[in-house]
């Protein structure tokens, strides 16, 4: 049994849309301007990130690569 006309039309339209997505080129340098803004980073607040890293290092009794080394007491 052959598929009906609407089914074939939908399948061909879906194939065209899927193949058109593969033809997209990567963004050019001038198109990346909005993505380079600080508010577009995954980590929004650098001070909060540094504080979280400090708490993590204090709890783990280890020093990370984010600044001065110290003990696990949290007093550095």
């Amino acid at each position: 049994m052959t598929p009906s006309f609407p089914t074939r039309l939908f399948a061909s339209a879906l194939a065209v849309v899927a193949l058109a997505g593969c033809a997209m080129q990567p963004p050019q340098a001038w198109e990346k301007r909005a993505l380079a803004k600080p508010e577009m980073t995954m980590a929004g607040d650098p001070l909060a990130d540094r504080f979280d890293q400090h708490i993590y290092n204090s709890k783990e009794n280890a020093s990370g690569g984010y600044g001065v080394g110290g003990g696990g007491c949290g007093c550095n």
Side-chain angles (χ1 to χ4, degrees), residues 19-61:
L19 291 175
C22 296
M24 293 177 58
Q25 297 178 357
Q28 299 296 322
W30 63 86
E31 296 172 326
K32 297 179 186 178
R33 187 176 333 153
L35 297 176
K37 293 182 180 178
E39 56 266 10
M40 293 297 287
T41 60
M42 295 297 282
D45 188 11
L47 184 61
D49 290 337
R50 183 146 174 124
F51 180 71
D52 289 340
Q53 187 66 37
H54 174 75
I55 295 298
Y56 174 77
N57 288 339
S58 298
K59 287 181 179 180
E60 292 291 324
N61 194 15

